[in-house]
């Protein structure tokens, strides 16, 4: 697919059943993602990669519980269970993920005092991962986003992609959401309002077959 990239967000042990921050049935999207990978020449994978003392971990805040919030310099931060700690099995890509053509892995959330949902910008909205420059240098104009979780890292990545000038699609049957207090519906509203287009796996395959993408 010309001038397009598939961005696969955080398909890791930590976010799939058995992981420390498992999203229900998230492993069920992996076959769809693997199928999509056969139709893209440009594939980027993101990986949550936190230090043990990361600011987003509830255990690092006495008297706080997972899924409560705190206020940081850059705004409201959800506190999460310990997950995807650097170098642990929880942080590894899911063993069923099969994307041999992937060229780049972006590790995010590596700075102890800043969370990072988006593949493009950390939560302070200033610290860049370098992904936008990488894609633009390669002549990529369109990005198709899959992965976990729809309402957090996928949504932030998609909205940033739109802001950065990419034609942006989220593949709804190749994503899974946490849906924390209605967050999934809100995320889709925010994405669509930002200009993100919603698409299905079959649409991509059919449209590529007819050479309209």
């Amino acid at each position: 697919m010309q001038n397009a990239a598939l961005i696969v967000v955080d398909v890791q042990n930590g976010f799939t059943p058995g992981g420390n921050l498992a999203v229900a049935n998230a492993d069920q999207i992996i076959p769809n993602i693997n199928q999509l990978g056969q139709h893209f020449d440009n594939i980027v994978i993101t990986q949550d990669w936190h230090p043990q003392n990361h600011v987003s971990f509830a255990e690092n805040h006495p008297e706080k519980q997972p899924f409560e919030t705190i206020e940081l310099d850059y705004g409201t931060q959800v506190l999460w269970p310990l997950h995807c700690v650097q170098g642990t099995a929880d942080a590894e890509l899911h063993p069923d993920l099969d994307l041999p053509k992937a060229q780049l892995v972006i590790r995010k959330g590596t700075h102890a005092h800043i969370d990072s949902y988006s593949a493009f910008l950390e939560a302070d909205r200033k610290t860049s991962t370098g992904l936008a420059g990488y894609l633009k240098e390669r002549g990529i104009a369109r990005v198709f986003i899959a992965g976990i979780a729809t309402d957090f890292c996928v949504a932030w990545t998609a909205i940033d992609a739109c802001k950065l000038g990419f034609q942006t699609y989220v593949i709804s049957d190749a994503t899974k959401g946490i849906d924390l207090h209605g967050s999934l519906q809100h995320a889709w509203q925010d994405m669509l309002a930002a200009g993100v287009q919603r698409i299905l796996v079959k649409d991509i395959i059919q449209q590529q077959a007819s050479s309209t993408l």
Side-chain angles (χ1 to χ4, degrees):
M1 194 180 296
Q2 293 183 342
N3 303 324
L6 176 65
I7 301 175
V8 178
V9 177
D10 297 357
V11 182
Q12 295 167 258
N13 291 334
F15 298 122
T16 49
N20 289 344
L21 187 51
V23 175
N25 303 317
D27 54 336
Q28 294 178 6
I29 65 172
I30 296 175
N32 279 353
I33 293 172
N34 292 342
Q35 183 183 17
L36 285 165
Q38 300 171 22
H39 297 273
F40 286 85
D41 294 324
N42 300 290
I43 301 174
V44 175
I45 295 171
T46 75
Q47 195 173 10
D48 235 22
W49 197 252
H50 297 307
Q52 185 87 26
N53 64 339
H54 197 258
V55 70
S56 74
F57 294 155
E59 70 170 34
N60 293 327
H61 299 272
E63 311 302 325
K64 290 290 185 179
Q65 297 297 316
F67 309 111
E68 291 184 7
T69 60
I70 59 171
E71 293 301 318
L72 297 175
D73 292 344
Y74 54 77
T76 302
Q77 172 67 52
V78 176
L79 297 178
W80 303 107
L82 191 77
H83 67 277
C84 296
V85 171
Q86 296 168 357
T88 65
D90 199 64
E92 291 176 4
L93 296 173
H94 193 283
D96 292 344
L97 190 66
D98 184 19
L99 297 171
K101 291 194 288 183
Q103 300 105 329
L104 180 68
V105 176
I106 292 278
R107 285 177 167 170
K108 57 190 183 61
T110 61
H111 298 107
H113 301 295
I114 313 171
D115 208 4
S116 185
Y117 297 143
S118 171
F120 292 97
L121 282 174
E122 297 192 10
D124 63 356
R125 317 311 295 152
K126 299 175 184 175
T127 306
S128 172
T129 66
L131 178 56
Y134 172 86
L135 294 173
K136 288 177 180 179
E137 285 285 338
R138 294 174 67 91
I140 303 298
R142 295 171 296 159
V143 294
F144 293 77
I145 303 170
I148 313 166
T150 317
D151 37 350
F152 288 92
C153 295
V154 168
W156 285 51
T157 296
I159 290 168
D160 280 350
C162 275
K163 289 177 180 176
L164 289 162
F166 296 99
Q167 188 175 353
T168 306
Y169 301 83
V170 168
I171 309 159
S172 59
D173 54 345
T175 63
K176 278 290 183 185
I178 296 174
D179 204 12
L180 184 65
H181 308 310
S183 57
L184 185 59
Q185 180 182 350
H186 290 143
W188 274 114
Q189 290 171 345
D190 290 345
M191 285 190 283
L192 295 172
V196 175
Q197 299 178 63
R198 189 170 184 166
I199 196 168
L200 298 171
V201 173
K202 66 179 178 62
D203 298 330
I204 295 170
I205 295 169
Q206 289 172 357
Q207 290 177 27
Q208 192 196 24
S210 61
S211 300
T212 59
L213 268 180

